Amino acid sequence: TQLAAVNTATIIAALADIGTEGGVLQLPPGTIDVTGSAITVSNPTIIQGMGQAQTYLRVDGAGYALQFTSTRCQVHDLGFYHVGTVQASTGAIRIGDQAGLIKLERLYFPADTYWYRNIDHAGAAADIRIRDCIFNGAVDADIFLDQPDDASNPGGDGIITDCTFSAAVTQPYAIRQSSYGSIRIHNCKFLGYDIPIYLNLRAHTNPSDGSNGFYVTGGSLEGFGTAAFKVLRAAGTATQADCLISGAE
């Protein structure tokens, strides 16, 4: 589906037309204001803009631009603007409960606009891929990955590759993880932040088979405050054999 005249209502209608079988929604160049509640994607859908600096979704005040509640969703070539007061309930993208297999590629978060979190994940969602995105800061974290502290729901892989993170050192985190499965960060560049990478490993995220833990390879970290990495490790969680930091400058 390719939209010419776009607003929140036409996007929601187009997503409904796509249906449960899934499809592609292409957005034209320009800035699209998201009014009311977030645009919720509840079916497998690829949302495609015309480029990181060409197509923008903008939110004024509280709320999210996009919210995913389905598996097998993708977002490519979009920028996200926030104006107005930043609250804890503001974010460009929220990956909600039951979402999974989410791919986010070539997204742009400008320096002159701030969300509480640019990408906010919560619930049972698993397997999130974030690639080739440009982050310029948020109040709490650019990317937040969370998972209930529940041994029956250990989460999945979070893979973040080829992304650029740049913010004032007063911002706490670029990537913040709380009780997820394995997280892999490859060839990312970090400039600023107090602690660019903050990981909180819980006991249930590691089955002691070497499949979970954290892996940071390549890339660079510059201008940070307290530390480049901070890892909290609960009893019974990932062992040293499950974790790797290699090639990061």
Side-chain angles (χ1 to χ4, degrees):
T1 301
Q2 184 172 4
L3 295 179
V6 282
N7 53 47
T8 303
T10 57
I11 293 174
I12 291 173
L15 290 171
D17 289 341
I18 286 174
T20 58
E21 295 301 315
V24 178
L25 175 61
Q26 189 170 46
L27 303 177
T31 299
I32 303 164
D33 286 311
V34 178
T35 57
S37 57
I39 295 171
T40 299
V41 183
S42 55
N43 292 313
T45 304
I46 298 173
I47 298 178
Q48 177 78 51
M50 299 302 291
Q52 290 176 321
Q54 298 295 319
T55 305
Y56 289 94
L57 295 181
R58 180 171 60 189
V59 172
D60 185 348
Y64 296 86
L66 292 176
Q67 175 172 279
F68 292 96
T69 59
S70 174
T71 60
R72 296 182 292 120
C73 292
Q74 302 181 36
V75 183
H76 303 159
D77 301 293
L78 275 176
F80 294 86
Y81 263 110
H82 176 263
V83 294
T85 304
V86 176
Q87 302 178 30
S89 58
T90 58
I93 296 173
R94 180 171 177 81
I95 302 171
D97 202 20
Q98 307 308 321
L101 296 174
I102 304 295
K103 294 183 179 180
L104 308 174
E105 297 183 345
R106 299 182 300 279
L107 305 182
Y108 177 50
F109 305 88
D112 57 348
T113 175
Y114 285 96
W115 308 80
Y116 186 71
R117 294 169 179 159
N118 288 318
I119 298 174
D120 190 8
H121 159 266
D127 299 318
I128 299 167
R129 311 286 190 263
I130 302 171
R131 185 177 72 86
D132 196 19
C133 297
I134 300 173
F135 298 90
N136 283 286
V139 173
D140 178 64
D142 287 297
I143 299 173
F144 178 78
L145 298 176
D146 190 22
Q147 185 74 22
D149 193 14
D150 180 353
S152 66
N153 193 12
D157 287 335
I159 301 177
I160 304 167
T161 61
D162 301 309
C163 292
T164 300
F165 300 83
S166 178
V169 73
T170 52
Q171 179 181 328
Y173 319 109
I175 298 172
R176 180 182 172 195
Q177 176 233 28
S178 177
S179 184
Y180 200 63
S182 66
I183 181 168
R184 302 162 192 263
I185 302 167
H186 176 67
N187 199 34
C188 292
K189 296 180 179 180
F190 300 87
L191 176 61
Y193 303 94
D194 187 37
I195 304 173
I197 301 173
Y198 178 96
L199 308 175
N200 186 3
L201 305 177
R202 305 289 180 89
H204 76 265
T205 65
N206 182 54
S208 300
D209 63 1
S211 63
N212 283 337
F214 69 89
Y215 310 83
V216 181
T217 55
S220 62
L221 299 102
E222 301 178 23
F224 52 84
T226 302
F229 303 91
K230 184 172 183 178
V231 180
L232 302 181
R233 191 177 76 87
T237 189
T239 65
Q240 184 173 351
D242 298 316
C243 304
L244 172 67
I245 300 176
S246 175
E249 298 179 355

